[in-house]
Amino acid sequence: MTTSREAPRTSRRRTPGRGVPLALLAPALLGLTFLVVPLLALLVRAPWRSLPEQLTSPAVWEALRLSLFCATTATALSLLVGVPLAWLLARTDFPGRGLVRALVTLPLVLPPVVGGVALLLALGRNGVVGQWLDAWFGITLPFTTTGVILAETFVAMPFLVISVEGTLRAADPRYEEAATTLGASRFTAFRRVTLPLIAPGIAAGSVLAWARALGEFGATITFAGNFPGRTQTMPLAVYLALQSDPAAAIALSLVLLAVSIAVLAGLRDRWMRTV
């Protein structure tokens, strides 16, 4: 016997393929085709026979190594400062919090090239902060590997902050309050109670941030340049190879495509739980 509480849940079950209006089905299929055909073209035109040779060439391997190192380091920096920032936005109330949240999410919609120009104006040798770094410590950030990491962190960290903040808002704050009433400090409660609760959100945000950092192009080429072995990451290598060696460009594109698919597969369970 179905209870009254179970009835609404049963009534919301979807029946795919039943009664779909043609006026909706046609544009939906057109949109799906538009998204899938370019990916299929990449697979069809891929140089499968020479793919191992392309991926093991010194230039490609150097770009792969640099991309993995910079994306991983950028994700680590995002975790170091992004998780506390997400906690601040989710757990505290202060004047201007809405403005701070807007500024944190701004790199999501800001053109990456504009982000690179902003980094140059801030951290360049004549930048607002960069001139003092150069004068006091002799530190020059643009057109270096460190510049690549900073550019990737700038565009990737908002993904982590948004994911962790959403998880923190969904977590019950009473667990933290109970820990503090038992004598734990706020930091101890955060470390021993809150972090285990929001670990799935941190993991999902880290994967998104890593994938975004790995695919970053605009801010990187503007702030760090395109120097092989020092700042040339995979997206930059694809852009350069497309002009002289299309086969190598396709090979690198396949690597980035495989990473994107792996990211989607890793986050699938989390997304399915939200449906």
Side-chain angles (χ1 to χ4, degrees):
M1 180 177 180
T2 303
T3 63
S4 59
R5 182 175 298 179
E6 294 174 347
R9 183 180 301 176
T10 305
S11 63
R12 289 198 300 266
R13 289 180 180 175
R14 295 186 292 266
T15 54
R18 181 177 180 182
V20 179
L22 182 61
L24 296 179
L25 181 62
L29 293 178
L30 180 61
L32 179 63
T33 302
F34 174 74
L35 295 175
V36 171
V37 167
L39 302 178
L40 292 178
L42 184 63
L43 296 175
V44 170
R45 294 299 180 89
W48 295 108
R49 292 184 178 179
S50 62
L51 187 61
E53 180 182 354
Q54 293 288 346
L55 293 180
T56 54
S57 67
V60 171
W61 177 251
E62 187 64 28
L64 284 170
R65 184 199 63 80
L66 185 65
S67 293
L68 294 175
F69 170 76
C70 291
T72 303
T73 307
T75 304
L77 288 177
S78 299
L79 282 169
L80 183 64
V81 298
V83 173
L85 178 56
W87 183 90
L88 187 70
L89 294 174
R91 287 286 193 264
T92 62
D93 190 10
F94 56 90
R97 184 175 63 173
L99 176 61
V100 172
R101 182 179 290 110
L103 293 175
V104 169
T105 57
L106 186 60
L108 293 175
V109 296
L110 193 70
V113 174
V114 177
V117 172
L119 287 171
L120 272 177
L121 295 177
L123 302 176
R125 181 168 294 180
N126 297 319
V128 176
V129 179
Q131 60 180 334
W132 304 112
L133 292 176
D134 185 36
W136 292 349
F137 306 103
I139 297 176
T140 302
L141 296 174
F143 311 110
T144 63
T145 303
T146 304
V148 176
I149 295 171
L150 293 178
E152 293 182 352
T153 303
F154 180 79
V155 299
M157 188 170 63
F159 289 88
L160 175 71
V161 173
I162 289 177
S163 178
V164 176
E165 183 190 0
T167 307
L168 279 167
R169 291 186 178 277
D172 194 341
R174 291 178 295 180
Y175 292 109
E176 295 179 47
E177 297 171 1
T180 56
T181 57
L182 293 174
S185 64
R186 293 297 298 271
F187 179 72
T188 300
F190 171 77
R191 181 171 56 89
R192 301 293 296 273
V193 177
T194 307
L195 277 182
L197 287 175
I198 65 173
I202 294 177
S206 299
V207 172
L208 286 174
W210 187 82
R212 179 64 184 89
L214 189 69
E216 166 53 30
F217 176 84
T220 302
I221 197 172
T222 306
F223 183 62
N226 186 16
F227 301 99
R230 189 171 65 182
T231 65
Q232 188 180 90
T233 57
M234 282 198 294
L236 274 63
V238 170
Y239 176 77
L240 185 65
L242 193 59
Q243 305 174 33
S244 58
D245 190 0
I250 296 175
L252 278 172
S253 299
L254 286 175
V255 174
L256 292 174
L257 177 62
V259 170
S260 301
I261 293 174
V263 169
L264 291 177
L267 294 178
R268 178 180 177 275
D269 292 338
R270 177 175 171 79
W271 286 344
M272 292 298 290
R273 287 197 296 269
T274 62
V275 177

